[in-house]
Amino acid sequence: MDPQWLLDTYGNAFFWLSMVIIFVECGLFFPILPGDSLLFSIGLFIKRGDVDIALGVALVLLSLAAFAGNVVGYEIGRAIGRPLYERDGRILKRKYFDQTIAFFDTYGNKALVIGRFVPIVRTFITVVAGVGKMDRKRFFTWSAVGAVLWAVGITMLGYLLGNIAFIQNNLEAAILLIVFVSVLPMVFEWWMHKRRSRTTV
């Protein structure tokens, strides 16, 4: 989903469509949606005057959409988590649940904040938290912290860079860079996993 195409196609409705996409990515099992690049583009479009909404209002609404998506994902996991866990499916494997619960135990509240910045992880970490019956107060509190840091941080990045002519004229390249940076944590984790595997052999 190209943000510029969405803007050209939907005009001012682009922002509200973006809120829906953010909500869905954060809680309804659609990990391939462009959350990071969309937030960056919203900030840039507001700076350029292409989107008619106050920056402060946009930041609040995007944070709420991200948090609401997480809450829905958590409640889905909590409601039907045991059947998902016992089923041990091809995508939602039991070992992934166990590993994520162990990840929570190791990193504590930071897991909910750090996971927010990693594509795919931010989609599934919510349902796994629900499956693991994480305390609601703990989940809601730190999920809210992560939602605000993610939505505000990346949107503000786009807004602050919105005056740079190179960024404005090369939006696709800027978005690709955002996507590349966002997947670095997964690449690093994969590399560390391979190193640990070699060490234990």
Side-chain angles (χ1 to χ4, degrees):
M1 292 185 184
D2 178 14
Q4 186 65 57
W5 180 86
L6 291 174
L7 177 66
D8 294 340
T9 303
Y10 296 102
N12 238 8
F14 160 80
F15 178 79
W16 307 106
L17 177 62
S18 298
M19 281 189 61
V20 173
I21 293 173
I22 295 297
F23 170 83
V24 171
E25 184 188 10
C26 291
L28 298 182
F29 312 114
F30 285 89
I32 60 172
L33 294 176
D36 295 319
S37 59
L38 200 55
L39 290 172
F40 180 86
S41 298
I42 290 171
L44 189 146
F45 293 156
I46 291 174
K47 185 68 173 181
R48 290 195 323 200
D50 295 331
V51 175
D52 186 20
I53 187 170
L55 177 62
V57 174
L59 295 177
V60 170
L61 292 176
L62 292 170
S63 297
L64 288 174
F67 175 68
N70 268 13
V71 170
V72 170
Y74 171 86
E75 294 298 344
I76 289 174
R78 195 174 180 96
I80 63 174
R82 181 53 57 178
L84 288 175
Y85 179 83
E86 296 295 343
R87 183 170 176 268
D88 195 20
R90 294 178 62 184
I91 297 176
L92 294 176
K93 294 181 180 293
R94 184 181 302 175
K95 69 175 184 178
Y96 295 159
F97 289 124
D98 291 336
Q99 289 170 355
T100 305
I101 292 169
F103 180 73
F104 278 124
D105 291 338
T106 301
Y107 294 100
N109 300 327
K110 291 187 295 183
L112 292 170
V113 178
I114 296 170
R116 170 71 69 174
F117 290 86
V118 183
I120 300 176
V121 171
R122 67 170 156 263
T123 299
F124 288 103
I125 201 169
T126 57
V127 66
V128 174
V131 170
K133 304 290 185 182
M134 176 181 283
D135 176 70
R136 274 195 176 91
K137 182 178 179 181
R138 176 188 172 197
F139 176 83
F140 290 170
T141 298
W142 290 99
S143 180
V145 171
V148 171
L149 290 177
W150 180 61
V152 172
I154 297 182
T155 304
M156 282 301 300
L157 180 64
Y159 183 83
L160 294 173
L161 296 178
N163 279 335
I164 300 176
F166 177 82
I167 299 294
Q168 292 188 20
N169 298 329
N170 298 275
L171 180 58
E172 289 186 5
I175 288 174
L176 287 174
L177 179 61
I178 292 292
V179 172
F180 173 74
V181 171
S182 67
V183 300
L184 282 180
M186 286 191 295
V187 174
F188 178 74
E189 180 59 30
W190 173 83
W191 179 69
M192 290 298 293
H193 175 73
K194 296 292 285 186
R195 284 195 62 185
R196 286 193 294 267
S197 298
R198 293 195 200 100
T199 303
T200 55
V201 172

